[in-house]
Amino acid sequence: MLAELESLQQVNIASGATRFGLVRACDGGMVEVSGLPIPVGTVCRIATPQSDTSQTSSSVAAETVGFRDGHSLMMLLGDSVLLQPGARVQAEGVPGMVPVGEAFLGRAVDGTGQPIDGGPAIRAQAFWPLGGKREGALDRASVVEPFDCGVRSINALATLGVGQRMGIVAGSGVGKSVLLDMIVNHAQSDIIIVALIGERAREVSDFVRRHMQQDRRARTAIIAVPADHASNLRLRGAQAAMALAEYFRSRGQQVTLIMDSLTRVAHAAREIGLLLGEPGAARGYPPSALAAITRLVERAGNARQSGGAITGLFTVLADGDNHDDPVVDTARAILDGHIVLSRDLAQRGQYPAIDVPASLSRVMSDVASPEHLAHARDFRAMVADYEANRDLVLMGAYREGVDLRIDRALAMQDPMRSFLMQDHDAACSLAGSIAALDHLLEASPAPASAR
């Protein structure tokens, strides 16, 4: 009770008259409001017939996105049910800012910061720009420290760095969510922020139930906006998660940000762009949609001034297993590497189904020792040799002794498969992963070049 009274004493209550506007038109999710000139990015409340604007539980939220002929244009953050002409519209909060702070740790909230876990309302004393604070290129520190994600195949063969932006590229049903669970459970980090954007509500509920327990809860925050919510709320949820991560980074902490998925964020930005009249360019994606995910990804990384870091893991959904999709291409170009999950490997029962030759970390050479790099290249070469000749081996068209490299890959196939597989609940540290890789290669036949 004492803590609540102290927090109430710090609340600034505005004095003077309250200004409100009126709804003049509604076209789909776009609302035109008169008499309320407010900045872009301001969140407002639109009264419903059963309430006035002071009762937020019975009002509709909207976000200001532009102006036209002296009227404010807003996009609804919910459904347009019960919206009527002449309804009162009132601004709330700080324009362009979102609440952040330790109060969000151990909680699950929606894109507007409202709890979805059944707990009390969150009273945050700090605010952060929704679009982030732009930093100069030289204000970012280099990636020089390895990041332990707890997954053996990633730690050993595509080693991540603290402050890296990594993509997890996969089609639907290939084990992407399971891999994220493993990283959330075992990653070594001060703070873990999970943004579930555009996912099924059932998956959100299951994720909160699995991870909001025991000691992990005190350092984990979840921002979830399911697929049935408004497009601008989905985009706002992703931006709010990044703003929360930036706040903790500014305090010198190491943050792991997991966003599932970057593709759903692009879909939300595409819906907004098309609604505003922007023409579709790359397979229906307006330029602003692809630019939105670029801006979002660029906000992660290391901060030279505070010493904090945001290690970003962004899932990218390859629709129809098409890796030439514009979102996949854009993400691959801006991210510092990508982990590719293979449907073929998943069908063989290999989990996590990581396609080793197709996956890479662009910062591995900066955070791994020369011996580790050499062993990783050797392992990747053996996997590539086996996969390139697998059909010949299965058909019986390959004879042993024709190619020593293929012979070695065939002899090591079972140990390599065991190395790449890992139980969901099992953790493997970075040091343990490197030691296991060294032990595996020491027990293997010498490569052809050494004979």
Side-chain angles (χ1 to χ4, degrees), residues 158-451:
T159 310
L160 307 181
V162 175
Q164 182 177 2
R165 292 84 55 88
M166 195 71 168
I168 300 177
V169 184
S172 57
V174 188
K176 178 174 75 279
S177 298
V178 176
L179 180 59
L180 289 181
D181 272 355
M182 295 173 67
I183 296 175
V184 172
N185 286 334
H186 309 311
Q188 300 300 310
S189 183
D190 298 329
I191 303 292
I192 296 178
I193 298 175
V194 183
L196 302 176
I197 310 300
E199 296 300 314
R200 294 184 292 271
R202 178 190 59 80
E203 290 186 346
V204 173
S205 176
D206 292 345
F207 193 94
V208 172
R209 176 180 51 81
R210 289 195 304 270
H211 297 286
M212 285 304 190
Q213 55 185 347
Q214 300 176 358
D215 57 339
R216 291 196 306 271
R217 177 168 186 164
R219 62 187 182 100
T220 304
I222 297 177
I223 298 178
V225 187
D228 60 339
H229 287 59
S231 55
N232 53 331
L233 185 58
R234 280 176 271 147
L235 180 59
R236 188 181 183 87
Q239 294 172 328
M242 187 63 75
L244 184 61
E246 287 176 322
Y247 167 78
F248 287 114
R249 179 179 64 184
S250 69
R251 297 166 59 89
Q253 295 177 291
Q254 291 190 1
V255 183
T256 299
L257 172 69
I258 297 177
M259 187 167 295
D260 186 17
S261 72
L262 202 62
T263 304
R264 305 301 188 197
V265 176
H267 289 175
R270 178 177 61 183
E271 293 176 28
I272 296 172
L274 295 177
L275 185 60
L276 293 175
E278 189 177 355
R283 299 188 185 179
Y285 286 94
S288 63
L290 301 179
I293 63 174
T294 300
R295 288 194 301 270
L296 197 63
V297 169
E298 272 297 298
R299 292 169 63 178
N302 293 328
R304 188 182 302 276
Q305 183 176 2
S306 67
I310 299 176
T311 304
L313 296 169
F314 304 88
T315 65
V316 184
L317 180 62
D319 292 329
D321 292 340
N322 178 18
H323 287 211
D324 295 326
D325 182 86
V327 177
V328 179
D329 276 343
T330 302
R332 212 162 24 202
I334 195 65
L335 292 169
D336 301 323
H338 49 271
I339 302 297
V340 178
L341 301 185
S342 167
R343 188 175 301 277
D344 185 44
L345 293 176
Q347 290 172 346
R348 297 183 210 171
Q350 177 179 315
Y351 288 99
I354 297 177
D355 187 342
V356 173
S359 304
L360 63 91
S361 171
R362 294 177 180 171
V363 304
M364 183 175 178
S365 59
D366 298 324
V367 299
S369 66
E371 182 182 8
H372 178 195
L373 288 171
H375 285 174
R377 284 194 294 265
D378 192 12
F379 189 102
R380 295 167 69 95
M382 283 195 293
V383 174
D385 289 337
Y386 174 80
E387 292 297 335
N389 297 276
R390 182 171 180 269
D391 291 341
L392 292 177
V393 173
L394 293 178
M395 290 187 298
Y398 175 77
R399 291 182 301 169
E400 185 177 356
V402 174
D403 189 314
L404 296 179
R405 293 186 64 88
I406 299 178
D407 292 343
R408 182 184 182 226
L410 289 174
M412 292 297 297
Q413 182 53 211
D414 288 340
M416 287 193 302
R417 180 181 171 88
S418 298
F419 178 86
L420 294 174
M421 295 179 65
Q422 182 175 339
D423 290 338
H424 175 268
D425 296 329
C428 189
S429 66
L430 178 61
S433 302
I434 297 174
L437 178 63
D438 295 344
H439 178 74
L440 177 70
L441 294 179
E442 287 172 0
S444 69
S449 58
R451 296 186 177 183

